[in-house]
């Protein structure tokens, strides 16, 4: 039923309150949007499509959601606003009819070691209250069951100043549930002594293998000449006292070779000098040593549960809070159902609803004690959705960023039902999405394009899904695309044997992964794909692993600096102009002095929203004026950084600017489908899929024989998937082995070999349910993947 017919049935002229059925956007110019104007129906499901980089996120997140958030923040007092993130008004002429927006994005959750699925949702808090009421023996308030709260005891006098001063004796105690040994982390770091010294040698023979302690330097003389140990005796023959003095002795002032020095045991000395430093800042050989020497083992005291003995001893029906958090959520939901205790009935109802939402959204296979940092982007997004499912708010705008990422076709159906349920409660649901399965359920579609980057940013189509299919846009043409199974598959050149893999939920899996072919690992979310691929394939020589984790980089980093492309460009400029390369770095000597090479000036307005303004001196170009007088092939450095990858590839290909080193990097960026990115675009503005492809382009230069990719189609438009398949084929044809964890049916159909995990998720998964060619899987579909793939290729 369209909007028009609804208003007609009520009355010829809708009254004021009912006429606001649309969100109107006029003249949006954020990022690459070119004066976009759209009207989005409220209380409907609108899907935004378009190739990667066409401006979907700019319109939905950076314009509509950002302005809604800013307007809400403005309703608070200036004092409260001081504690909120500062938002500038988006570049848009008119934004009308906005409602409160809730965005659910794919940012990974914080990897704080104490953050778990239970603490990220409200489930842990409710369980703690439950145990503090019903647990036997009773050990204290809810905080006594929290592994983030340490126990505190204090006593002493406090002075109260009121009229006559008087001192009051006070004691303060707080019972927390944190395990004292591992401080609530569940793991303790241990030092592997075999990495520090070779116990068959004596000190004189160079037993210490720590970097910097070999040879006859002061570090090694400190131990051999201290007099505490015999330098000519092999370490394994030391007495207990000698070994203690060598490894653990407290700092002792003494003279060694006539010089005053402080002697201390090897372990505390290394801990101070190496282990307490930031790993990222170390030299490579020292970082490698630290990674070898420090091992994390399960805390022996709390057995990895993070909780103190008291918290573990208190039980309800023989189950402690540690047992409850370790259960699979679907099992925990059943257990909670069995507790009928009228005194805490409202709490039980709320807890049940929360746990049921997990199961409903397809995360029933998680456990509450799973560290939040180990969730994939798709899982993290669904965990965030749980909070909104039970909400009784209506007339809210929900904004989702590719909610189907990381979902098997079987799970997409459930996600679609959830989106429709949110809409039916009277909410406006906006979804940025590429999968045809989800586009199909839209009430309204906005297709952006036609291309990416500067070639995108306009609206190509607005209307129904049928209209999109019939229309002549890139998305419309590809919507019915179905990849066919390959006529012939490549023969493996060898195999990678995995035997008895048990990480996470894998149930002693034995599998031979064929090498020299395109091998796809698939299965429903939570079936153990990543555990198998990342946990069991030995990382190291010849294995290049590209995941979806965030790229480390500040707002000064861009594709040119990240891929190492800037070095050959700087050298080419320097050589042509006879000056030094550092001038052509905006983070070094060539930086504009006013904005320090950032291109913008950040003004902090204390209580109010801070403002970023383009630097007036360099006009956002980041360089000193004098640097821009040097040219290469008729262009200055800021013009080169403003080029897209495709333009730059042409520019550095011929003529005066001919730079083979730069061309190689640009060629790889174009191969992974990032031809539209400008070289100087800040990394912080890239989407998840773009970041992963940028990593892939960077890694392609490495001499790896095996490539492990984690959902490379994330954030890719149907039209771009073909290009990615071409790239994967190219890698395989050049003699590499490619292993892909993937849900996209086009990639499955294109595979030479499929390994399907399942049959379900969590403890219902972790087994190999099929291995063979895609054709065999489609011919006799015995698994969920097989059924969906058969439907997809029209078998």
């Amino acid at each position: 039923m369209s909007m028009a017919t609804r208003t007609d049935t009520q009355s010829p002229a809708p009254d004021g309150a009912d006429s606001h059925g649309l969100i109107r956007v006029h003249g949006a110019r954020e990022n690459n949007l070119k004066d976009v104007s759209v009207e989005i129906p409220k209380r409907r499901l609108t899907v935004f499509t378009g190739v990667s980089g066409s401006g979907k996120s700019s319109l939905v997140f950076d314009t509509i959601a950002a302005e809604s958030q800013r307007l809400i923040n403005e309703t608070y007092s200036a004092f409260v606003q001081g504690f909120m993130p500062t938002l500038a008004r988006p570049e848009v002429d008119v934004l009308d009819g906005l409602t409160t927006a809730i965005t659910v994005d794919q940012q990974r959750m914080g990897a704080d070691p104490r953050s778990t699925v239970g603490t990220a949702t409200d489930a842990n808090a409710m369980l703690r209250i439950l145990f503090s009421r019903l647990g036997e023996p009773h050990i204290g308030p809810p905080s006594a069951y929290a592994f983030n709260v340490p126990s505190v005891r204090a006593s002493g006098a406090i002075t109260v100043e009121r009229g006559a001063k008087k001192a009051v004796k006070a004691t303060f105690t707080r019972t927390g549930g944190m395990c004292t040994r591992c401080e609530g982390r569940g793991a303790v770091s241990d030092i592997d002594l075999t990495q520090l010294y070779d116990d068959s040698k004596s000190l004189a023979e160079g037993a210490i293998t720590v970097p910097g302690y070999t040879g006859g330097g002061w570090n090694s003389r400190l131990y051999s000449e201290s007099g505490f140990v015999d330098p000519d005796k092999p370490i394994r023959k030391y007495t207990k006292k000698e070994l203690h003095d060598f490894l653990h002795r407290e700092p002792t002032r003494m003279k060694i070779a006539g010089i005053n020095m402080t002697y201390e045991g090897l372990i505390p000395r290394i801990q101070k000098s190496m282990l307490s430093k930031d790993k990222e800042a170390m030299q490579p050989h020292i970082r490698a040593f630290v990674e070898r020497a420090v091992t994390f083992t399960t805390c022996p005291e709390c057995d990895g549960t993070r909780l103190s003995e008291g918290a573990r001893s208190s039980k309800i029906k023989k189950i402690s809070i540690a047992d409850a958090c370790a259960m699979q959520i679907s099992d925990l939901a059943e257990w909670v159902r069995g507790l009928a205790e009228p005194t805490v009935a409202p709490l039980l109802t709320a807890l049940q609803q929360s746990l049921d939402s997990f199961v409903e959204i397809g995360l029933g296979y998680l456990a509450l004690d799973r560290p939040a940092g180990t969730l994939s982007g798709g899982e993290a997004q669904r965990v965030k959705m749980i909070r909104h499912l039970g909400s009784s708010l209506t007339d809210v705008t929900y904004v989702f960023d590719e909610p189907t990422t990381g979902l098997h076709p079987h799970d997409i159906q459930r996600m679609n039902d959830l989106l429709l349920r949110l809409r039916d409660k009277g909410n406006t649901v906006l979804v940025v999405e590429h999968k045809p399965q989800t586009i199909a359920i839209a009430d309204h579609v906005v297709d952006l394009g036609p291309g990416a980057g500067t070639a995108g940013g306009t609206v190509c189509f607005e209307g129904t899904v049928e209209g999109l299919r019939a229309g002549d846009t890139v998305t419309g043409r590809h919507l019915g695309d179905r990849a066919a199974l390959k006529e012939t598959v490549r023969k493996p050149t060898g195999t990678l044997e995995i035997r008895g893999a048990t990480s996470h939920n894998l149930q002693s899996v034995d599998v031979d992964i064929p090498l020299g072919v395109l091998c796809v690992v698939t299965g429903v979310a939570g079936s153990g794909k990543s555990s198998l691929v990342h946990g069991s394939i030995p990382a190291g020589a010849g294995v290049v692993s590209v995941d979806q984790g965030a790229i480390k980089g500040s707002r000064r980093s861009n594709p040119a600096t990240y891929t190492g492309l800037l070095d050959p460009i700087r050298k080419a400029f320097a050589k042509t102009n006879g000056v030094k390369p550092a001038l052509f770095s905006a983070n070094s000597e060539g930086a504009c002095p006013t904005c320090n090479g950032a291109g913008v000036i950040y003004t902090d307005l204390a209580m109010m929203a801070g403002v970023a303004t383009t630097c007036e001196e360099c006009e956002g170009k980041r360089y000193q004026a004098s640097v821009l007088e040097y040219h290469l092939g008729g262009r200055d450095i800021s013009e080169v950084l403003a080029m897209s990858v495709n333009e730059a590839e042409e520019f550095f290909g011929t003529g005066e600017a001919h730079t083979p080193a730069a061309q190689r990097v640009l060629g790889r960026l174009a191969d992974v489908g990032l031809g539209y990115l400008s070289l100087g675009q800040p990394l912080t503005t890239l989407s998840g899929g773009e970041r992963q492809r940028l990593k892939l382009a960077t890694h392609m230069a490495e001499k790896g024989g095996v490539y492990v990719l984690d959902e490379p189609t994330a954030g890719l438009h149907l039209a771009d998937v073909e290009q990615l398949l071409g790239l994967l084929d190219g890698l395989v044809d050049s003699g590499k082995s490619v292993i892909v964890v993937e849900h996209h049916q086009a990639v499955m159909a294109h595979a030479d070999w499929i390994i399907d995990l399942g049959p379900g998720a969590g403890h219902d998964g972790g087994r190999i349910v099929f291995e063979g060619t895609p054709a065999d899987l489609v011919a006799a579909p015995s698994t969920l993947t097989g059924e969906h793939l058969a439907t997809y290729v029209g078998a």
Side-chain angles (χ1 to χ4, degrees):
M1 179 156 135
S2 77
M3 293 301 297
T5 50
R6 279 191 58 181
T7 44
D8 292 348
T9 52
Q10 291 166 353
S11 62
D15 77 34
D18 296 330
S19 60
H20 300 285
L22 296 171
I23 296 176
R24 289 187 18 247
V25 183
H26 274 277
R29 292 180 298 281
E30 273 298 305
N31 300 335
N32 65 339
L33 296 177
K34 300 181 180 138
D35 255 341
V36 165
S37 299
V38 287
E39 296 195 336
I40 300 161
K42 284 192 193 172
R43 295 175 282 285
R44 293 284 177 274
L45 176 68
T46 302
V47 173
F48 293 80
T49 60
V51 295
S52 305
S54 59
K56 305 181 296 296
S57 300
S58 302
L59 176 60
V60 182
F61 287 92
D62 304 344
T63 305
I64 299 174
E67 179 64 356
S68 165
Q69 186 61 57
R70 193 183 71 85
L71 292 174
I72 291 169
N73 287 5
E74 281 191 355
T75 61
Y76 297 108
S77 67
F79 174 73
V80 176
Q81 286 184 43
F83 298 101
M84 294 183 147
T86 53
L87 302 163
R89 185 177 189 279
E91 277 282 310
V92 59
D93 296 335
V94 182
L95 262 177
D96 227 11
L98 287 179
T99 68
T100 311
I102 294 177
T103 56
V104 185
D105 60 12
Q106 286 188 28
Q107 291 297 326
R108 291 275 176 111
M109 294 202 165
D112 183 282
R114 291 204 197 94
S115 180
T116 64
V117 170
T119 58
T121 54
D122 296 333
N124 251 36
M126 292 191 269
L127 269 178
R128 292 200 297 268
I129 302 170
L130 188 68
F131 273 86
S132 73
R133 297 287 169 82
L134 303 181
E136 292 290 330
H138 175 76
I139 57 160
S143 67
Y145 296 89
F147 52 76
N148 289 334
V149 182
S151 293
V152 179
R153 282 180 202 83
S155 62
I158 56 169
T159 310
V160 183
E161 295 190 14
R162 264 202 213 128
K165 292 184 184 177
K166 58 175 191 280
V168 183
K169 268 273 191 264
T171 55
F172 169 77
T173 57
R174 178 180 68 191
T175 315
M178 180 185 283
C179 164
T180 47
R181 170 83 193 271
C182 64
E183 296 187 356
R185 289 187 171 88
V188 285
S189 60
D190 247 356
I191 292 180
D192 180 357
L193 297 180
T194 58
Q195 299 292 342
L196 303 189
Y197 57 82
D198 179 347
D199 68 355
S200 63
K201 293 180 177 173
S202 67
L203 289 179
E205 292 166 337
I208 305 181
T209 54
V210 180
Y213 284 72
T214 46
W218 276 113
N219 280 340
S220 54
R221 286 181 66 180
L222 182 66
Y223 291 98
S224 52
E225 299 179 21
S226 65
F228 290 123
V229 291
D230 177 351
D232 298 314
K233 183 158 87 174
I235 294 181
R236 65 165 60 139
K237 299 214 171 127
Y238 281 7
T239 61
K240 233 180 181 168
K241 180 172 181 336
E242 279 182 311
L243 195 60
H244 177 269
D245 283 343
F246 172 50
L247 290 179
H248 300 287
R249 192 181 176 95
E250 4 345 303
T252 314
R253 297 287 297 163
M254 59 192 302
K255 264 199 162 72
I256 291 181
I259 294 174
N260 283 327
M261 291 182 79
T262 301
Y263 174 92
E264 66 179 325
L266 185 62
I267 288 180
R269 196 154 179 217
I270 290 175
Q271 264 175 326
K272 282 181 198 147
S273 66
M274 296 182 187
L275 307 185
S276 56
K277 300 268 178 17
D278 175 25
K279 271 205 336 217
E280 295 297 320
M282 290 178 181
Q283 294 164 294
H285 68 285
I286 294 185
R287 184 186 318 168
F289 160 72
V290 171
E291 282 172 352
R292 280 198 316 271
V294 180
T295 53
F296 281 93
T297 51
T298 305
C299 170
E301 219 157 279
C302 64
D303 205 15
T305 59
R306 308 158 176 254
L307 289 159
S308 64
E309 199 179 337
R312 298 198 308 275
S313 68
S314 173
K315 300 190 172 174
I316 304 175
K317 290 191 174 175
K318 298 186 181 165
I319 296 275
S320 71
I321 190 163
D323 302 333
C325 290
M327 281 185 195
Q328 191 164 305
I329 291 175
S330 49
D331 299 343
L332 180 61
E334 286 307 310
W335 179 74
V336 171
R337 254 188 210 95
L339 300 175
E341 188 61 49
T343 53
V344 287
L347 176 68
L348 284 172
T349 316
L351 180 57
Q352 242 169 334
Q353 275 178 344
S354 177
L355 296 173
D356 287 343
S357 310
F358 272 102
V359 178
E360 220 173 294
I361 207 165
L363 291 177
Y365 60 88
L366 294 178
L368 292 181
D369 63 4
R370 167 98 175 250
T374 63
L375 298 178
S376 69
E379 286 171 333
Q381 188 181 27
R382 301 206 294 288
V383 166
K384 292 177 197 165
M385 276 179 79
I386 286 172
R387 306 225 325 266
H388 307 305
L389 282 181
S391 158
S392 32
L393 287 172
T394 65
D395 254 337
V396 176
T397 303
Y398 284 101
V399 186
F400 291 102
D401 183 11
E402 289 186 51
T404 59
T405 299
L407 285 185
H408 187 268
H410 167 71
D411 301 313
I412 292 181
Q413 196 47 55
R414 289 159 101 165
M415 179 57 78
N416 282 354
D417 295 342
L418 287 172
L419 295 173
L420 292 170
R421 230 176 68 201
L422 282 174
R423 175 201 70 182
D424 293 343
K425 274 166 67 174
N427 297 309
T428 309
V429 182
L430 309 181
V431 186
V432 172
E433 189 51 88
H434 293 292
K435 299 260 170 78
Q437 250 178 296
T438 300
I439 298 174
I441 62 164
D443 300 312
H444 188 77
V445 183
V446 176
D447 185 26
L448 288 148
T454 46
T458 59
V459 173
C460 302
F461 174 81
E462 278 184 87
T464 60
V465 182
E466 285 68 44
L468 179 68
R469 266 184 219 284
D472 190 31
T473 67
V474 181
T475 310
R477 286 199 297 274
H478 286 277
L479 207 55
D481 271 11
R482 292 291 178 264
L485 296 174
K486 288 202 287 205
E487 298 288 316
T488 56
V489 291
R490 303 181 185 91
K491 290 278 171 280
T493 54
T495 55
L496 185 70
E497 292 185 3
I498 294 178
R499 292 290 175 265
T502 53
S503 63
H504 300 308
N505 64 337
L506 294 178
Q507 302 183 9
S508 187
V509 168
D510 296 339
V511 64
D512 290 338
I513 296 184
L515 295 176
V517 297
L518 176 57
C519 171
V520 171
V521 179
T522 177
V524 294
S527 57
K529 304 179 295 298
S530 301
S531 307
L532 179 69
V533 172
H534 294 301
S536 313
I537 293 178
V543 177
V544 175
S545 180
V546 186
D547 61 6
Q548 291 186 14
I551 284 177
K552 287 189 175 66
S554 65
R555 53 188 175 212
R556 287 174 175 273
S557 313
N558 53 40
T561 57
Y562 181 77
T563 55
L565 171 67
L566 201 56
D567 292 340
I569 293 180
R570 283 201 301 250
K571 283 181 188 140
F573 265 96
K575 194 173 164 195
T576 309
N577 293 293
V579 288
K580 54 184 182 181
L583 274 178
F584 301 100
S585 165
N587 297 331
S588 180
E589 289 183 27
C592 158
T594 312
C595 62
N596 292 330
V600 288
I601 292 174
Y602 295 94
T603 316
D604 181 20
L605 298 177
M607 300 309 290
M608 307 299 286
V611 188
T613 47
T614 305
C615 169
E616 289 179 4
E617 187 166 327
C618 65
E619 294 173 351
K621 291 181 180 172
R622 298 174 167 223
Y623 289 95
Q624 295 176 21
S626 58
V627 175
L628 300 181
E629 287 167 16
Y630 298 115
H631 286 80
L632 175 71
R635 299 286 183 95
D636 65 42
I637 181 80
S638 72
E639 288 172 331
V640 168
L641 287 177
M643 290 179 181
S644 71
V645 170
N646 291 340
E647 288 172 62
E649 196 175 5
E650 204 172 302
F651 175 72
F652 288 110
T654 51
E656 186 196 358
H658 183 55
T659 316
Q663 256 208 299
R664 281 196 292 277
V665 182
L666 289 162
R668 289 199 294 269
L669 285 170
D671 284 346
V672 294
L674 293 177
Y676 60 89
L677 274 193
S678 74
L679 304 185
Q681 182 176 340
L683 286 189
T684 45
T685 61
L686 300 186
S687 69
E690 287 170 336
R691 280 181 204 159
Q692 194 191 11
R693 298 202 293 290
L694 186 60
K695 274 192 203 170
L696 177 59
T698 313
H699 284 312
M700 274 167 63
E702 293 176 22
K703 296 283 171 278
V706 180
Y707 282 79
V708 178
L709 308 181
D710 192 356
E711 288 190 56
T713 58
L716 273 189
H717 186 263
L718 301 159
D720 299 329
V721 172
E722 291 173 23
Q723 186 176 4
L724 180 81
L725 290 175
L727 171 75
L728 297 180
D729 275 342
L731 279 174
V732 175
D733 293 338
S734 68
K736 311 266 193 249
S737 304
V738 181
I739 301 166
V740 186
V741 173
E742 191 52 89
H743 295 290
H744 201 295
Q745 288 117 317
V747 182
M748 292 181 204
H750 202 75
D752 297 308
W753 192 259
I754 284 189
I755 295 173
D756 192 12
L757 285 150
H763 56 48
D764 301 329
R767 293 189 289 278
I768 304 276
V769 287
F770 175 83
E771 39 184 331
T773 61
D776 292 345
L777 180 61
V778 169
S782 55
T783 67
L784 283 171
T785 310
E787 289 165 24
H788 284 279
L789 188 58
T791 326
Y792 177 80
V793 296

